[in-house]
Amino acid sequence: MKPIRRLIGLMILSLCTVFMMIFPPAKQAFSAAPVTPLTPLNQPYDVAQQATYTVSSTDKTDTFYHQIETKTYPTPPGGLMSDGPKWNGFLRQLNRTVVVNLGQPYTLTSASIDFLEETTRGILFPTHVQFLISQNGTQWFTVNDVKSNIPLYYSGTLTQTFSTPIPHITAQYVKLVFPVDVWVLAKNLQVYGSPLLTPSLAQLPIAPPKPFAPGTLSPSSKIADGISNALLVYSGANGQEGTWTPSDFDPMVAYHSGNNQISGKMFDTFLFLPYGSSLTTIYGWENYMNSLFTPNQQLDALNQTVGADESGLASIGVNEPTVNVILAIPYPNASITNFGKLWSSSSLSFSSNGQGTYVAYQNRLRAIEFYINSVLARFREAHYAHLRLVGLYWDAESVSYASPNEVNLIEQAANLTHKNKLNFFWIPTYNASGLVSGSSYGFDDIILQSNYYETPSLTPQRMVTAANEAFQLNLGLELEMGNGILTSQTARDRYYNELVAAFNSNAEGNTVHAVYAGSKLLVQAAQSTDPAVRNVYVETYDFLIGQFTNSTYING
């Protein structure tokens, strides 16, 4: 009988195989969750395995970054709860808030999540993760704010678990909030608890509100120190383009109407900064410093101009005999290997190659100390009657976490600035690395670039999004223009749309602004006999003083 039964079995198997080939099963989409070992219900187990969750950002979603995010790191099966080889990727946009709905109340004992770091690819640990819980998803209680235990500049591929105990408190919702500088990769989100555990009597603090009320950096705020509108003044190279005279500063200090009469105050602050190409040696740094103090140029030219315009401004009720000045600290790039001698018998290297990260960091810090001490001493000795030095500027547009001890270097530069009773300024690019943590590194005044004007593929929505980021983080906002404003109506219209977007975002007169105008572009617009070109100067003035009223974009 066994051979017959086996034969029948083989015949049935063959028929099934043929049937499956002719009628294949329908495909099913599913999200595989890791299998949780059986655990007694009166013991803690991972109650997040069957949970749902949402992810949001304080910032308005930027479609550009969102598309890169989803394409580069598609959500793996199981999402954030997965412990497989694939990671969930989050790109820029300030931060992420993950809200986990456990589906029912549990007595919770702990929560954790894993992160990846690989600095050479811009993948960084978050500086911290906030853990909160709630019974109803509305009122939140703070469990812990867990800081990273690993410095951001460590090389190689690293993983770190951010975890916190929860003192046996009943909740249905768990929230995790973490900053996102460039890329943050996360997985293996776990929440341990049980419905049968006895809750404790522990009480957690109610989650506090934000440390500051949302809003852009206001000229009236204490940290703004009287700054409303700052012009970026590039000097020290490029011939006449980088040499500022009293006639160049005149229309930048006082607004001149069509008949060349002073009719208002233009900029109240001037940020002096170098062209970067010549600042790779101590000689480049010293030459730039010397150019700042050249008679009848740069600082001296500005001082003369303010003095000359004082009576004209006073005649229209503007009694401001001084303007604010901010001086840039040249950036000691970690790639420089032959900076030159500085209190040593050999040329300094800022690279860690061949000398280690600590020596490289010390050399970079020594260069910064030398420059700050030297430039401040020379400014004091100059006795400019009409210039008020209010701060120093960090001349790098993002935080280079791949450079060892970069954050320490920024913090030390901030300390040196503050010891001299000055503010520390920074103008990072849109969503730059370090943006969300900038204030904790010592920056007092941060003014955000939108990079809209210089990126033709972007729409005015980028300026709106940048204004929203500035609103969320108490930042100022930069206005940007390029050489095209002198020759192209299309370029001018693009600049006007930038102003419209900022105006529609309530980032006009109540916001600290910096204006990037290349090499004297706004000066040339002010002095132009072409009404279309001069109108750039007029519209900029109206915007800076809060009289810009156009809310309609040009060409859509």
Side-chain angles (χ1 to χ4, degrees):
M1 293 292 294
K2 288 183 180 180
I4 296 176
R5 291 176 62 184
R6 182 179 180 185
L7 180 60
I8 294 173
L10 289 172
M11 291 174 63
I12 293 173
L13 179 61
S14 299
L15 289 172
C16 289
T17 302
V18 172
F19 182 84
M20 292 288 287
M21 293 174 63
I22 299 174
F23 303 103
K27 293 182 179 179
Q28 294 182 343
F30 64 95
S31 295
V35 177
T36 304
L38 293 176
T39 304
L41 292 182
N42 62 351
Q43 296 295 320
Y45 62 95
D46 187 4
V47 297
Q49 287 301 311
Q50 304 302 322
T52 60
Y53 68 89
T54 61
V55 180
S56 61
S57 170
T58 302
D59 189 17
K60 294 179 180 178
T61 299
D62 188 307
T63 55
F64 175 76
Y65 288 120
H66 183 67
Q67 289 172 0
I68 297 175
E69 183 180 287
T70 54
K71 182 178 180 180
T72 308
Y73 293 99
T75 303
L80 280 171
M81 283 68 172
S82 169
D83 191 24
K86 295 185 178 180
W87 293 83
N88 299 265
F90 305 108
L91 177 61
R92 301 187 186 273
Q93 300 173 89
L94 301 186
N95 58 20
R96 294 298 185 277
T97 297
V98 179
V99 177
V100 181
N101 183 350
L102 300 172
Q104 69 177 68
Y106 291 92
T107 300
L108 303 181
T109 61
S110 67
S112 65
I113 186 170
D114 294 347
F115 291 96
L116 178 75
E117 177 166 285
E118 194 172 336
T119 55
T120 56
R121 296 171 56 202
I123 302 169
L124 307 170
F125 290 137
T127 54
H128 65 104
V129 178
Q130 292 177 286
F131 291 87
L132 306 96
I133 60 175
S134 172
Q135 292 186 357
N136 54 20
T138 302
Q139 186 178 38
W140 292 93
F141 296 86
T142 300
V143 176
N144 203 353
D145 191 348
V146 181
K147 305 294 191 296
S148 174
N149 289 321
I150 301 176
L152 294 171
Y153 57 82
Y154 270 31
S155 60
T157 301
L158 306 171
T159 58
Q160 181 178 184
T161 299
F162 289 68
S163 63
T164 182
I166 303 175
H168 287 67
I169 294 179
T170 301
Q172 181 174 333
Y173 299 88
V174 179
K175 180 190 290 186
L176 290 77
V177 183
F178 50 87
V180 179
D181 263 332
V182 188
W183 278 107
V184 165
L185 268 58
K187 67 177 181 180
N188 198 26
L189 194 165
Q190 297 182 335
V191 179
Y192 272 76
S194 170
L196 300 183
L197 291 175
T198 302
S200 71
L201 298 178
Q203 292 185 341
L204 295 175
I206 297 176
K210 290 184 177 181
F212 50 78
T216 53
L217 178 61
S218 170
S220 62
S221 66
K222 184 177 180 180
I223 59 172
D225 200 16
I227 295 171
S228 294
N229 301 302
L231 177 68
L232 275 59
V233 180
Y234 285 88
S235 65
N238 296 343
Q240 290 303 309
E241 286 188 353
T243 302
W244 287 71
T245 65
S247 62
D248 295 323
F249 279 120
D250 185 31
M252 301 295 98
V253 171
Y255 174 71
H256 292 256
S257 57
N259 56 4
N260 203 32
Q261 295 296 309
I262 292 178
S263 56
K265 183 72 174 281
M266 190 72 180
F267 290 98
D268 56 72
T269 304
F270 294 82
L271 166 54
F272 287 82
L273 64 171
Y275 296 97
S277 57
S278 61
L279 297 181
T280 58
T281 66
I282 180 61
Y283 308 108
W285 286 31
E286 289 179 326
N287 288 338
Y288 170 68
M289 191 190 318
N290 291 336
S291 76
L292 287 175
F293 298 97
T294 301
N296 302 314
Q297 297 177 12
Q298 280 69 270
L299 291 169
D300 185 45
L302 177 60
N303 186 60
Q304 292 179 34
T305 303
V306 178
D309 286 343
E310 183 178 357
S311 60
L313 288 169
S315 68
I316 59 172
V318 180
N319 296 303
E320 297 178 7
T322 62
V323 293
N324 303 313
V325 167
I326 304 167
L327 300 177
I329 304 169
Y331 178 66
N333 197 300
S335 65
I336 295 174
T337 58
N338 188 20
F339 181 68
K341 295 181 180 181
L342 187 67
W343 307 316
S344 64
S345 58
S346 59
S347 178
L348 295 181
S349 171
F350 298 158
S351 171
S352 58
N353 293 336
Q355 62 180 357
T357 58
Y358 183 73
V359 173
Y361 160 69
Q362 287 293 321
N363 288 345
R364 298 173 77 196
L365 181 57
R366 288 168 65 191
I368 288 175
E369 290 175 332
F370 159 77
Y371 190 85
I372 290 177
N373 292 335
S374 300
V375 78
L376 293 186
R378 293 185 66 171
F379 190 91
R380 287 191 293 267
E381 292 168 0
H383 298 293
Y384 297 121
H386 302 287
L387 305 184
R388 172 177 173 256
L389 183 61
V390 295
L392 299 177
Y393 169 72
W394 184 250
D395 195 20
E397 296 181 323
S398 63
V399 176
S400 177
Y401 289 120
S403 299
N405 298 96
E406 184 79 0
V407 172
N408 304 69
L409 189 70
I410 295 171
E411 291 173 340
Q412 288 303 312
N415 289 338
L416 291 169
T417 301
H418 295 149
K419 284 181 180 179
N420 286 282
K421 301 186 185 323
L422 298 171
N423 278 10
F424 199 32
F425 290 81
W426 188 38
I427 307 180
T429 55
Y430 176 76
N431 267 329
S433 56
L435 174 63
V436 296
S437 304
S439 59
S440 68
Y441 298 157
F443 293 117
D444 301 295
D445 302 84
I446 302 175
I447 301 173
L448 181 64
Q449 301 178 37
S450 73
N451 306 123
Y452 156 70
Y453 180 89
E454 63 195 35
T455 312
S457 61
L458 294 175
T459 69
Q461 181 60 37
R462 164 57 71 82
M463 190 65 176
V464 173
T465 306
N468 181 69
E469 284 196 5
F471 184 84
Q472 296 295 338
L473 297 177
N474 281 158
L475 312 179
L477 194 63
E478 183 178 80
L479 305 176
E480 302 156 356
M481 64 183 75
N483 292 335
I485 65 157
L486 302 177
T487 58
S488 166
Q489 188 59 45
T490 299
R492 289 189 285 271
D493 289 346
R494 186 168 182 81
Y495 174 66
Y496 296 146
N497 281 343
E498 183 179 356
L499 300 182
V500 171
F503 172 76
N504 289 341
S505 302
N506 297 315
E508 190 190 9
N510 62 334
T511 300
V512 172
H513 303 107
V515 175
Y516 169 79
S519 296
K520 302 185 187 177
L521 292 177
L522 202 54
V523 175
Q524 295 177 69
Q527 297 171 345
S528 177
T529 57
D530 183 340
V533 176
R534 179 177 163 78
N535 193 55
V536 172
Y537 176 66
V538 175
E539 296 285 359
T540 301
Y541 171 72
D542 286 345
F543 183 90
L544 295 179
I545 66 171
Q547 291 185 357
F548 187 87
T549 58
N550 185 11
S551 61
T552 304
Y553 293 114
I554 300 173
N555 297 325

